[in-house]
Amino acid sequence: SEVITEGVNYKMNEFQAAVGLLQLDHVDGYIIKRSIISDIYRKSIKEIEGLKCTPLPPVIRNNYAYFPILVEDSYPLSRDELHEKLWSGGIHTRRYFYPLITQFPMYRNLPSSAVANLPVATMIASKVICLPIYPDLSKTDIDRILDLITP
């Protein structure tokens, strides 16, 4: 599907808020589990030529909600090829910053949306992919993901 017009930012209803409040009792444990997965990914990806972990943000406390990596030109696959390989292996990844908002129909004809005006954003958008990271991601699945991304 494609975004065809501007939207609005709807807020959650009372039921969604109640469920969210119940999750707060578990959030610290979830963050710890995701930080462990992040550490495993970072140690392994450091050894893979052409893949680069993005730096951890300089925040007081990271929530490890996403795990973006950069697929550099020295990696044997493009970001999109790696995305397809992982999906074919049953691993659901996300191409981050894809497509750029400037490519949506309502923005693409604006002069400021020209690719020539956005070289860094365009380049990064073609290289970033998010690996799965959630509290119950098993060691078996982590190993399978790492096996699939290792050339």
Side-chain angles (χ1 to χ4, degrees), residues 47-102:
E47 305 301 320
I48 301 173
E49 174 68 29
L51 295 182
K52 183 178 178 183
C53 294
T54 59
L56 289 171
V59 295
I60 294 171
R61 182 174 173 183
N62 193 330
N63 65 9
Y64 303 94
Y66 301 99
F67 197 85
I69 61 173
L70 293 173
V71 181
E72 302 285 356
D73 293 337
S74 58
Y75 189 73
L77 302 174
S78 70
R79 185 275 314 269
D80 289 346
E81 290 168 334
L82 179 57
H83 174 74
E84 288 301 319
K85 179 180 180 181
L86 288 163
W87 270 80
S88 293
I91 305 299
H92 294 195
T93 60
R94 182 171 162 216
R95 294 174 287 186
Y96 212 50
F97 305 120
Y98 174 83
L100 283 176
I101 194 169
T102 54

Side-chain angles (χ1 to χ4, degrees), residues 2-8 104-107:
E2 183 176 42
V3 176
I4 56 172
T5 188
E6 300 87 356
V8 293
F104 292 173
M106 66 287 229
Y107 300 121

Side-chain angles (χ1 to χ4, degrees), residues 133-145:
I133 188 166
Y134 53 91
D136 294 327
L137 186 62
S138 71
K139 179 69 168 102
T140 301
D141 285 337
I142 295 167
D143 290 342
R144 194 161 57 94
I145 292 164

Side-chain angles (χ1 to χ4, degrees), residues 109-144:
N109 293 322
L110 296 173
S112 60
S113 293
V115 172
N117 293 331
L118 306 163
V120 175
T122 300
M123 183 267 301
I124 293 296
S126 72
K127 294 179 182 259
V128 178
I129 189 170
C130 284
L131 299 180
I133 188 166
Y134 53 91
D136 294 327
L137 186 62
S138 71
K139 179 69 168 102
T140 301
D141 285 337
I142 295 167
D143 290 342
R144 194 161 57 94

Side-chain angles (χ1 to χ4, degrees), residues 23-40:
Q23 293 298 311
L24 290 177
D25 292 338
H26 308 284
V27 73
D28 291 333
Y30 294 161
I31 290 172
I32 289 168
K33 288 178 179 182
R34 289 194 309 253
S35 74
I36 292 167
I37 295 166
S38 175
D39 288 344
I40 293 168

